[in-house]
Amino acid sequence: MEGANGGGDGDGGDRPWQSYHTVYTTAKAGMEGVDKEKVQKVVYEMSKGSKYFQNEERKEAFINQKVQNLRIQCAKLTEADLVHYRKVADRRIVELEASRDLSRIWLHVDMDAFYAAVETLSNPTLQGKPMAVGSMSMISTANYEARKFGVRAAMPGFIARKLCPELIFVPIDFKKYTYYSDLTRKVFRIYDPNFIAGSLDEAYLDITEVCKERNVNSEEIAQELRAGVYEETGLTCSAGVAPNRLLAKVCSDINKPNGQYILPNDRMAVMTFVSSLPIRKIGGIGKVTEHILKGVFEINTCEQMLEKSSYLYAILSQPTAEFFCSVGLGLGQKDSPQVRFRKSISNERTFSATEDEVLLHKKLVELAEMLSVDMQKEGLCGRTLTLKLKTASFEVRTRAVTLQKYISSSEDILKHAKKLLKAELPISVRLIGLRVSQFNGDKCSAAPDPTQKTITNFITSGDVNRNCSSFPDVADLDFVSDAETNLSIDNRQTSQLDWRDPFVGNYLSDGDHQSCIVQKNGVEEVQTPSNDATSSHHSGFTEGSTSFQGQFEGINVMNESKLREGARLNSCCQETTMLWLNDYKCSLCGIELPPSFVEERLEHSDFHLAEKLQKEESRIHQPYVPSRSRNQKDGITRQSKSKKQKLSNKEGKYTPIDSFFVKK
């Protein structure tokens, strides 16, 4: 792959932008005829020398190095290795094929340029003109007229203006978008009351039953649904129908805008459809994963995943290899989730980088109010509040606090959010986000998930004094070597493990636990604030479209007044830090999430953090029993007996404190 050798061969040539990989050249609906090289050149020239450009270069260099490392591993495979892994892959492919279910009919509906379409509906004078929703800092979406110039969502506005000088900017209005989203969902419920909302502008519907009840085919239902949405809102949408959700989402993008595509529930039709499908069309495969699959395995289409399955099983973890093989077979999720409840709720906003504390607090107030409204609308209240910051240098920091009480009001959220922000000031920020998690099931009527494992179960399921490096959920296949573990997620760094606990630190005076993850140029730091705190470090690599992994080094931080609490925490078994093993699997509970599930992974991380802090909190209120040697215990026993005899002679009524430390 071009540029896969560590920096791009074109850096010193006449066209250095050709080695500058960017998501902005990815073809979205309506961008089929765009001159990609022109877009790439403009993005390169407008970004060159900026903090963003430097950050992208560091990430690109890291991924190039990772590709090289994986290529070396592939080259070391012997013929015997390949024969073995071919048998493993063939056996698993047969099992996956046997699980194929063509009985369900899934429909994915996606609104066409939703934000832009709503603004055009509100202001008809924008019709036919290139327009983008957002500002010169960042674009949320662009209409199809603007996409012809290469303008797309998640692109800085100043770059979009360079590509299209006539581009019109319209400010974001989420209240308006939410209103129209609610109207579309009224239509969706007619066909599937339990539809799955992917976002404000997309949803998955299981239309199997409605097709049977009405004795109509899926094509008629798709047409009827699209007509219903247009009648209700005046907006157009596109639909895709397939045997599972993964393929339905791919199908909905084929005939955009205002179109539909039907993939029959037939194995041959599915395999033919998948055979020439570019891997980037699959949800869960982003820019970095595509780079690795192409650069290491020379995989460009989904069909080639099956052809190279022996290499996938040899180099990658079993869950990751199985995901890719499932894609090659055209398999995806087909059943409606039985347990559906929130684990967290969040809001974030991007703006021009600023150090103005007044403006930052104003943004914080807005986020707290929006978050409170969303939580109260769903009857939620939570204990863990997380603040997310992205600095002007694209460094991402997350600081969390777990409270003694559950909160949902904007006043409570703002009160604690201000404390978290104050700890980071002064700082130049371009994004602020707030997230609340660890909800109270009893107070908020949120049924617990019976399938969700907890860190408490993980710790107590075995010997409490077991070595902290023992991981029953981690197979040998998860590890590349004794010294290096493949813990990468998309563009995350492969790193050496350190199992020490980064969250052992000061216990705050108000009873709340607080920690901070700081991501600096590919390095995350987990910080516990205190007067004499020494930071814990977590080395990983992070970008907006993926989640994180890496190496934790925990350092105990305590002062004299907290020595006993710290000693107690250290004497207990050291819980392992949550990591994403081999790009896919949580090291604590074994749950599997693809790299593209960014929010879900953040929520999952918050969940484990909250469980850990809650457990540590419960330990603090338990009696302290220091570990002693056998001789020390014998000496204490003799002393206790002697003191008890003296007290009995004096008819004393008090039990000596030493007796509490004697194991009876």
Side-chain angles (χ1 to χ4, degrees), residues 571-590:
S571 65
C572 296
C573 69
Q574 296 185 351
E575 295 90 340
T576 53
T577 301
M578 198 211 81
L579 302 171
W580 289 108
L581 295 176
N582 294 289
D583 211 7
Y584 204 83
K585 183 177 181 181
C586 174
S587 63
L588 294 185
C589 67

Side-chain angles (χ1 to χ4, degrees), residues 5-16:
N5 293 323
D9 297 334
D11 287 353
D14 296 333
R15 298 182 176 182

Side-chain angles (χ1 to χ4, degrees), residues 44 212 336 365 373 381 411 424 520 524 557 582 593 612:
Y44 176 83
K212 292 179 181 178
S336 298
V365 171
V373 170
C381 50
E411 292 80 10
E424 296 295 326
K520 294 184 178 180
E524 289 190 6
V557 183
N582 294 289
L593 287 174
K612 180 183 289 290

Side-chain angles (χ1 to χ4, degrees), residues 67 202 227 313 354 392 423 433 461 470 506 539 546 563 634 653-654:
V67 168
E202 66 173 324
Y313 274 90
T354 179
S461 61
S470 174
N506 283 355
S539 113
T546 48
L563 181 60
D634 292 341
K653 297 182 180 180
Y654 299 100

